[in-house]
Amino acid sequence: MSTYQHIIVGLDLSEESKQILEKAHFLATAANAKLSIAHIIEPLVFTYGGDIPMDISSVQEQIETQATTDLAKIGQEFGVAPENQYIVIGQPANELQTIAAEHNGDLIVVGSHGRHGLSLLLGSTSNSVLHGTHCDVLAVRVTS
């Protein structure tokens, strides 16, 4: 049985992100695998349907700057090198799949909230990653 070589962790930079990264870090250490972390920022234009009557590019830049700072902080805490930290603008599931494909990721780790019902077993991002990727996906159940 082969072990994982490169684990990509998708983080939303919430408080629960550390729970996800702790488990991924454990797996990476056990498998002697490379660990990368990624945060995907959805464009504000997508979020609000393009119906914003003002220029929001400076707000988008502020979001990117804060995300870069936050990702670097959690990356440093878990020993993830800066070159293995990714901030990307786009649709989370698609971008995580792209990062994994471009960087030879063989496991994507994402968080999943403990909701009820078959359609809520995985969050929409987790579910989309699972159904569109070439590699394994691990959904880590997070608690608030």
Side-chain angles (χ1 to χ4, degrees):
M1 178 177 169
S2 64
T3 61
Y4 296 112
Q5 301 298 310
H6 187 186
I7 300 172
I8 311 280
V9 186
L11 301 172
D12 64 4
L13 300 177
S14 66
E15 285 297 317
E16 291 87 9
S17 291
K18 287 186 180 182
Q19 294 176 43
I20 300 161
L21 195 46
E22 284 172 356
K23 292 196 178 183
H25 185 265
F26 175 81
L27 286 172
T29 301
N32 195 29
K34 177 179 175 180
L35 182 64
S36 295
I37 54 178
H39 175 68
I40 314 305
I41 302 168
E42 290 190 83
L44 290 175
V45 173
F46 289 175
T47 305
Y48 294 102
D51 293 335
I52 301 172
M54 57 190 239
D55 181 16
I56 57 171
S57 59
S58 65
V59 174
Q60 188 76 49
E61 288 174 17
Q62 289 174 352
I63 291 170
E64 286 180 58
T65 300
Q66 186 63 52
T68 301
T69 300
D70 293 347
L71 193 68
K73 183 178 176 183
I74 197 168
Q76 183 176 16
E77 184 177 338
F78 285 87
V80 179
E83 61 270 14
N84 296 328
Q85 299 176 21
Y86 304 99
I87 298 283
V88 180
I89 297 174
Q91 197 280 329
N94 291 342
E95 297 303 334
L96 284 172
Q97 293 162 356
T98 299
I99 291 168
E102 290 177 354
H103 299 279
N104 297 315
D106 50 5
L107 175 65
I108 298 174
V109 179
V110 292
S112 178
H113 295 275
R115 296 183 178 97
H116 304 295
L118 184 59
S119 64
L120 297 175
L121 281 175
L122 297 174
S124 59
T125 298
S126 303
N127 194 36
S128 296
V129 170
L130 177 66
H131 291 292
T133 192
H134 70 284
C135 64
D136 292 348
V137 176
L138 172 64
V140 175
R141 187 173 196 163
V142 295
T143 57
S144 301

